[in-house]
């Protein structure tokens, strides 16, 4: 599995199939990227669970924080890890002890641990690294186009106006794979030199 | 649902534009409004806090402008775009994200005369210093690098003589220096050259020229290549450090590989104010739909005119990279194989006076200070666009007193040649 660039169909199949997402490292502080992503994914209809031992007793968008993945107590489809690359492995090891296993491990923008990814893939999980699910959802639905971002999708179909809790169609015509070529190459070079 | 890469012409028509969600309008509507209502207080707070995608106020973003932004980003192969009021505004907004007082930008000496003025005078007043380098001698860029260098700025096809810049060689200097390469791609347009494929980190345009293409609307575009790591050191705090304007958000951490375009929007455009009118965005978008057709015709006409002039007895020299004898012909075949653009210069045996006479004798060419119009244009740079430079600087920037600049339009080439012939004989 090439983790430098993802085929849009790979990302699309994940975002179209998962329903519950546990966000490890979710923050209640409203300027943190994890807060942005949590709120957006909740608004797009995902069943979000905030995981952060430092905030147990509080809630995020009405959802109570839990201390660990084991504390969730019900099956979850995807684990979105908002931790630095050096803190990924323990989360993946914890995830692989869950029963039933989650279907997807997603590491946030800037986070990458190839050994952890290999472990999860060996257990049959899908892995995404160094991406943001909010950005990918906004891109594949073209909602992110409001910000002048190159969604790398085309459509001659009329899109609905998004409302609260509404899932958007991600099935537009893609071009150029998961990322544009130049930014992919730059990310790959950064990985190799760091 | 395939990952088949559409061609340039398909992107020129479709990228960024889909039928309007409300009305189903197929052409991109002109959202001529200052502001957009919020769903509720939380929605408003989310938008102001950069948490949600959406519209607030046209100085920060507008749905018509957003289509233009995505379209040019797609054509250039970048991650995101930002539309602004003019090419000059694009340069101002880009450098505001990178420069503090005392910092330096290394700029190619061969630039549009207006850019030379902007860098030399307006930016100097901000404490932004410019070090000039010779795009024909890459070593001069290397020599100009100092600890204060924050960016390198070049034109892909350089004003006024249409010379071709060795983008990859200068990109290598920028990478070594750890600074972004900014390429003004106005005269090439992405149809001829895609600077990001050659190592550019940021592309800017005067969309007033070939992108819009009809000489009717000012505009500027910034494209983020998504290639530069703004957080690898503390050189670019606008992108890497918590921003007090947004309660401590770090722009790159939050927006990843389109962070630079977001910084230009929420720190640059929001606070400096050079927003593009949605009407102009619509005009430029309409122009871009025919960019591939126009650009090829511009190039084909320009080559025919350059060939005619190079055999004319009143002409002492023609600077057109598309001519096999031109010093930039090798670079043109590498970087712009479809054509050498439509802006070039030639020199008259009769010197300054012959230049002034030629301009007044032409009947079809319009005498004005623009390029990249459907109409053919002519100007005498020494007495107009480059008149504020001293004589030595005029020569160095390719605007010597005997030089005339043409911007070849999309008329029939036979008519352009006939007009030049009668004016040169008059």
């Amino acid at each position: 599995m090439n983790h430098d660039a993802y085929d849009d169909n790979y990302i699309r199949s994940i975002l179209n199939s998962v329903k519950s997402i546990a966000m490890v490292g979710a923050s209640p502080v409203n300027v943190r990227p994890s807060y942005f992503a949590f709120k957006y994914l909740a608004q797009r209809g995902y069943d979000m669970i905030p995981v952060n031992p430092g905030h147990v007793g509080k809630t995020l968008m009405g959802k109570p924080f839990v201390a660990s993945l084991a504390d969730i107590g019900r099956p979850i489809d995807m684990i979105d890890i908002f931790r630095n690359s050096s803190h990924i492995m323990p989360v993946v090891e914890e995830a692989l002890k869950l029963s039933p296993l989650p279907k997807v491990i997603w590491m946030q923008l800037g986070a990458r641990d190839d050994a952890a990814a290999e472990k999860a893939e060996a257990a049959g999980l899908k892995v995404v690294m160094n991406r943001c699910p909010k950005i990918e959802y906004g891109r594949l639905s073209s909602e992110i186009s409001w910000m002048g971002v190159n969604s790398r999708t085309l459509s001659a179909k009329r899109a609905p106006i998004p409302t609260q809790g509404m899932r958007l169609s991600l099935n537009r015509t893609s071009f150029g794979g998961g990322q544009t070529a130049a930014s992919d190459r730059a990310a790959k070079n950064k990985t190799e030199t760091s | 649902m395939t990952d088949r890469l559409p061609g340039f012409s398909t992107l020129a028509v479709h990228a960024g534009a889909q039928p309007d969600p409300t009305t189903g309008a197929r052409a991109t509507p002109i959202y001529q409004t200052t502001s957009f209502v919020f769903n509720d207080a939380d929605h408003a707070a989310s938008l102001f806090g950069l948490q949600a995608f959406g519209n607030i106020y046209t100085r920060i973003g507008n749905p018509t402008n957003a289509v233009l932004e995505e379209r040019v980003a797609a054509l250039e192969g970048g991650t995101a775009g930002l539309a602004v009021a003019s090419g000059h505004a694009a340069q101002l907004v880009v450098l505001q994200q990178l420069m503090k007082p005392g910092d330096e930008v290394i700029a190619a000496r061969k630039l549009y005369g207006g850019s030379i003025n902007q860098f030399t005078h307006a930016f100097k007043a901000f404490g932004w210093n410019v070090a000039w380098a010779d795009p024909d001698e890459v070593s001069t860029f290397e020599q100009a690098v100092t600890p204060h260098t924050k960016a390198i700025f070049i034109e892909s096809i350089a004003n006024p003589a249409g010379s071709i810049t060795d983008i990859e060689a200068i990109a290598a200097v920028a990478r070594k220096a750890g600074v972004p390469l900014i390429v003004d791609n106005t005269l090439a347009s992405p149809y001829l050259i895609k600077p990001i494929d050659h190592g550019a980190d940021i592309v800017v345009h005067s969309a007033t020229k070939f992108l819009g293409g009809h000489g009717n609307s000012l505009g500027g575009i910034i494209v983020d290549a998504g290639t530069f790591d703004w957080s690898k050191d503390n050189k670019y705090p606008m992108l890497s450090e918590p921003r007090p304007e947004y309660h401590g958000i770090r722009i790159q951490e939050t927006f990843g590989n389109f962070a630079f375009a977001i910084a230009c929007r929420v720190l640059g455009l929001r606070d400096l104010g050079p927003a593009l009118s949605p009407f102009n965005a619509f005009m430029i978008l309409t122009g871009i739909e025919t960019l591939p057709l126009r650009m090829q015709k511009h190039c084909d006409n320009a080559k025919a005119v350059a060939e005619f002039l190079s055999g004319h007895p009143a002409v002492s020299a023609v600077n057109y990279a598309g001519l096999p004898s031109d010093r930039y012909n090798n670079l043109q075949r590498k970087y712009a194989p479809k054509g050498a653009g439509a802006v070039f210069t030639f020199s008259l045996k009769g010197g300054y006076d012959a230049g002034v006479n030629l301009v007044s004798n032409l009947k079809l060419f319009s005498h004005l200070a623009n390029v990249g119009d459907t109409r053919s244009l002519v100007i005498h740079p020494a007495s107009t666009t480059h008149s504020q430079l001293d004589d030595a600087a005029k020569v160095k920037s390719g605007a010597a007193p005997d030089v005339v600049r043409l911007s070849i339009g999309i008329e029939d080439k036979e008519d352009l040649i006939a007009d030049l012939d009668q004016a040169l004989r008059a």
Side-chain angles (χ1 to χ4, degrees):
Chain A
M1 178 81 203
N2 173 15
H3 289 287
D4 294 317
Y6 297 104
D7 189 286
D8 279 356
N9 281 331
Y10 180 69
I11 302 289
R12 187 180 281 126
S13 72
I14 290 171
L15 293 176
N16 274 334
S17 62
V18 303
K19 293 187 172 64
S20 54
I21 303 176
M23 185 181 282
V24 176
S27 171
V29 179
N30 70 0
V31 299
R32 298 303 301 155
S34 61
Y35 178 93
F36 287 27
F38 190 98
K39 185 173 176 181
Y40 178 79
L41 294 170
Q43 285 172 340
R44 287 285 154 265
Y46 289 100
D47 170 14
M48 299 298 295
I49 302 133
V51 182
N52 192 328
H55 296 292
V56 173
K58 298 181 201 161
T59 61
L60 185 48
M61 308 277 300
K63 310 284 179 123
F65 275 94
V66 296
S68 69
L69 292 173
D71 290 346
I72 295 173
R74 61 186 171 94
I76 40 175
D77 297 327
M78 175 166 129
I79 297 171
D80 182 14
I81 309 175
F82 260 91
R83 303 296 310 273
N84 293 335
S85 299
S86 58
H87 294 99
I88 299 291
M89 186 62 98
V91 179
V92 170
E93 284 170 346
E94 193 190 348
L96 293 179
K97 288 181 194 145
L98 295 173
S99 178
L101 284 172
K103 301 183 182 82
V104 180
I105 299 284
W106 188 302
M107 303 177 205
Q108 199 50 41
L109 204 57
R112 176 164 180 156
D113 182 336
D114 286 278
E118 216 167 288
K119 207 169 222 183
E121 283 170 338
L125 277 63
K126 288 183 176 173
V127 175
V128 176
M129 298 194 283
N130 190 26
R131 294 288 185 277
C132 172
K134 175 187 174 184
I135 289 172
E136 294 303 304
Y137 194 100
R139 191 174 71 72
L140 293 172
S141 67
S142 88
E143 202 185 0
I144 204 169
S145 299
W146 295 123
M147 306 293 284
V149 172
N150 183 3
S151 70
R152 295 184 303 289
T153 66
L154 302 179
S155 178
K157 298 279 188 283
R158 182 172 165 183
I161 300 165
T163 54
Q164 184 77 17
M166 180 180 183
R167 297 289 282 263
L168 303 179
S169 167
L170 306 182
N171 301 335
R172 297 160 56 85
T173 299
S174 286
F175 63 92
Q179 287 287 356
T180 57
S183 56
D184 272 350
R185 284 195 300 275
K188 184 166 184 286
N189 292 341
K190 191 187 163 195
T191 306
E192 283 167 358
T193 54
S194 63
Chain B
M1 280 239 277
T2 62
D3 276 352
R4 188 181 175 282
L5 182 64
F8 188 90
S9 299
T10 302
L11 293 179
V13 171
H14 285 282
Q18 68 188 88
D20 184 61
T22 308
T23 61
R26 180 62 272 217
T28 298
I30 304 169
Y31 287 92
Q32 192 71 24
T33 180
T34 55
S35 346
F36 302 85
V37 293
F38 307 118
N39 300 342
D40 51 41
D42 181 62
H43 181 230
S46 297
L47 287 171
F48 275 104
L50 305 180
Q51 293 164 8
F53 309 123
N55 297 296
I56 301 174
Y57 191 66
T58 287
R59 175 157 46 75
I60 306 168
N62 174 283
T64 309
N65 298 22
V67 175
L68 173 63
E69 290 159 354
E70 185 172 1
R71 172 110 15 118
V72 180
L75 292 174
E76 290 284 5
T79 52
L82 179 68
V84 294
S86 67
H88 261 36
Q91 292 169 188
L92 169 65
V93 168
V94 162
L95 288 178
Q96 188 225 359
Q97 309 319 310
L98 308 177
M99 307 277 283
K100 294 190 300 292
D103 286 341
E104 291 168 5
V105 55
I106 303 172
R109 199 181 296 285
K110 285 184 182 164
L111 290 188
Y112 162 52
S115 295
I116 294 175
N117 284 334
Q118 186 189 35
F119 280 62
T120 305
H121 303 294
F123 290 168
K124 194 176 176 186
F126 300 163
W128 303 347
N129 299 318
V130 57
W132 297 106
D134 181 353
D136 300 328
E137 289 292 338
V138 174
S139 62
T140 60
F141 283 83
E142 274 182 291
Q143 288 154 13
V145 173
T146 75
H148 301 290
T149 304
K150 289 295 172 69
I152 295 180
F153 185 97
I154 60 175
E155 292 179 356
S156 53
I157 297 183
N159 225 312
S163 46
I164 312 285
T165 305
D166 191 349
I167 301 169
E168 289 176 12
I170 297 170
V173 175
R175 259 197 310 281
K176 197 172 157 207
V179 302
L181 176 65
I182 306 163
V183 178
D184 181 340
N185 200 31
T186 297
L187 293 192
S189 89
Y191 176 73
L192 295 178
I193 300 178
K194 292 170 80 172
I196 291 172
D197 287 348
H198 301 292
D201 299 298
I202 297 160
V203 174
V204 293
H205 277 277
S206 168
T208 313
K209 312 301 188 311
F210 292 101
L211 289 181
H214 293 71
N216 56 26
S217 304
L218 290 186
I221 308 278
I222 299 160
V223 177
D224 183 352
T227 47
F228 197 84
D229 181 6
W230 306 101
S231 304
K232 68 175 183 286
D233 45 38
N234 56 6
K235 264 160 95 168
Y236 302 100
M238 294 285 266
L239 289 120
S240 65
E241 298 306 306
R243 294 311 310 171
E245 300 93 326
Y246 290 98
H247 308 292
I249 287 176
R250 287 183 166 89
I251 302 280
Q252 182 170 27
E253 176 190 52
T254 307
F255 295 102
N257 67 10
F258 54 92
F260 186 77
I262 295 290
C264 286
R265 181 188 302 281
V266 305
L267 303 175
L269 190 54
R270 187 194 74 158
D271 292 348
L272 297 175
L276 179 68
S277 151
F279 182 78
N280 283 22
F282 172 82
M283 296 300 282
I284 294 164
L285 265 176
T286 304
I288 289 175
E289 292 181 6
T290 57
L291 174 67
L293 301 172
R294 285 185 291 105
M295 210 63 207
Q296 194 60 57
K297 176 86 168 175
H298 277 295
C299 289
D300 295 347
N301 278 358
K303 187 158 193 247
V305 170
E307 282 166 353
F308 162 76
L309 288 172
S310 60
H312 200 282
V315 172
S316 56
V318 177
N319 300 302
Y320 185 63
L323 296 174
S325 58
D326 192 84
R327 68 176 290 193
Y328 298 103
N329 190 246
N330 282 338
L331 287 171
Q332 184 252 315
R333 281 185 286 179
K334 173 177 177 176
Y335 286 105
K338 290 200 283 282
V343 177
F344 65 95
T345 58
F346 63 102
S347 307
L348 291 163
K349 287 177 182 163
Y352 185 96
D353 293 340
V356 173
N357 284 337
L358 174 75
V359 167
S360 61
N361 290 332
L362 284 165
K363 293 172 178 160
L364 206 49
F365 282 76
S366 305
H367 180 208
L368 52 77
N370 190 28
V371 295
D373 193 324
T374 50
R375 290 154 279 264
S376 289
L377 315 174
V378 62
I379 202 160
H380 182 223
S383 59
T384 54
T385 53
H386 289 61
S387 61
Q388 281 134 332
L389 306 181
D390 61 35
D391 281 352
K394 277 178 189 158
V395 172
K396 276 186 178 168
S397 64
D402 60 341
V403 166
V404 173
R405 184 185 75 186
L406 300 179
S407 172
I408 301 298
I410 58 173
E411 303 97 331
D412 288 306
K413 61 179 184 277
E414 295 79 7
D415 295 329
L416 301 177
I417 288 169
D419 191 31
L420 282 163
D421 193 37
Q422 66 78 23
L424 287 165
R425 287 170 197 278

